[in-house]
Amino acid sequence: MSTPSPASTTDKSILDVRNLRVSYQSQRGRINALQNVSFTLGCEKVGIVGESGSGKSTLGRAIMGVLPESAHTEGQILFNDENLLTLPERRMREIRGGDISMILQDPKFSLNPVMRVGEQISEAFLAHSHGDKALAKQQSLELMESVRIRNPGRVYKLYPHEISGGMGQRIMIAMMLVAGPTLVIADEPTSALDVTVRMEVLSVLDEMVSRRHVGLLFISHDLNLVAKFCDRVLIMYAGCIVDACRSSELSNSQHPYTQGLFASLPKFDQPQKRLAVLQRCETWLEHEEPT
């Protein structure tokens, strides 16, 4: 049985994924990375949680259209009434980085090490607009200030190795927002940061959604973080969405996999000699065809 995804918290959906399937051909046969994934997303924060290998990042890259050529994709990814899976690459380049942006896990692997960080933001602006370099710099400085970077004029001239991890992640957020996207995919954007900086970055992302009316797909391993930060949560297992609920209801979920994820988390107030081991069941992967 497939678990229906709770409706978007907004009347209008930005993204509508329908029966998405992604597979790869290997020497041992076809491997299914995503199976019958369906959900909608509006101007809200939707969290994707699951074990490593559950398909979370594959889902984000499928939406961005950056899967390897060996990937076989079926279904529909509807964005502004366009099916992203059927668009020519030229049109996808316009959407990618412009209408849909992706924040990756570690800024030191995402930023160009030999280019000033401010120029990288300006470059993203120029790639998706008709403005000149002066306007690009102005927009970049304003956006750097909006993501709480002090003295943006000074930071604009710095190289990636001269900034901290938290500032680097805020630079990445500014770079992804400078073109005015309506959908942002954040793939483990805080896992490389310490707790204090993590909360600052999450606050910036939260403000981004509320002020700019952006839809955020937040991919994470951290069940508690997603429950506190997101509006809705989708639980993935073996390429399928097996559970979906409001974040406020996540801890009360009756699905055995979600319960198992919570049980495997260490608790400081209830120390255990041995954490629970996740139990898995193939019947969780049985889906009804959508009507």
Side-chain angles (χ1 to χ4, degrees), residues 48-52 54 56 220-221 234-237 257 261:
I48 305 282
V49 181
E51 298 172 88
S52 296
S54 62
K56 306 184 301 299
S220 177
H221 285 92
L234 309 177
I235 305 294
M236 291 195 70
Y237 165 70
Y257 184 68
L261 289 176

Side-chain angles (χ1 to χ4, degrees), residues 77 82 120 134 137 144 174 266 285-286:
I77 302 176
E82 292 183 283
Q120 295 186 52
K137 183 174 182 179
M144 289 170 70
L285 309 181
E286 295 176 3

Side-chain angles (χ1 to χ4, degrees), residues 122-235:
S122 295
E123 183 181 57
F125 175 82
L126 292 171
H128 297 280
S129 72
H130 301 291
D132 57 19
K133 291 185 178 180
L135 178 60
K137 183 174 182 179
Q138 177 187 341
Q139 292 290 324
S140 300
L141 291 172
E142 291 177 359
L143 201 51
M144 289 170 70
E145 188 173 4
S146 73
V147 296
R148 305 176 191 175
I149 292 177
R150 297 179 182 177
N151 197 351
R154 181 186 68 85
V155 177
Y156 186 95
K157 302 174 184 178
L158 299 179
Y159 288 94
H161 72 274
E162 297 179 296
I163 60 177
S164 66
M167 187 177 292
Q169 199 60 285
R170 286 192 283 268
I171 291 290
M172 283 297 302
I173 294 172
M175 190 186 305
M176 295 303 104
L177 293 180
V178 72
T182 53
L183 171 63
V184 174
I185 302 168
D187 192 351
E188 298 276 5
T190 62
S191 61
L193 308 176
D194 61 47
V195 175
T196 303
V197 178
R198 179 182 305 173
M199 298 312 296
E200 293 176 357
V201 171
L202 289 175
S203 179
V204 170
L205 291 172
D206 186 53
E207 187 175 337
M208 171 193 77
V209 174
S210 59
R211 285 194 177 186
R212 294 175 175 267
H213 305 291
V214 171
L216 176 66
L217 192 64
F218 190 87
I219 298 170
S220 177
H221 285 92
D222 194 328
L223 200 64
N224 287 324
L225 173 65
V226 169
K228 293 176 182 177
F229 176 68
C230 294
D231 301 307
R232 293 188 294 133
V233 182
L234 309 177
I235 305 294

Side-chain angles (χ1 to χ4, degrees), residues 234-264:
L234 309 177
I235 305 294
M236 291 195 70
Y237 165 70
C240 297
I241 295 177
V242 296
D243 196 11
C245 61
R246 307 290 179 192
S247 59
S248 58
E249 302 168 355
L250 184 61
S251 60
N252 298 321
S253 172
Q254 297 303 304
H255 194 283
Y257 184 68
T258 306
Q259 292 178 338
L261 289 176
F262 272 111
S264 65

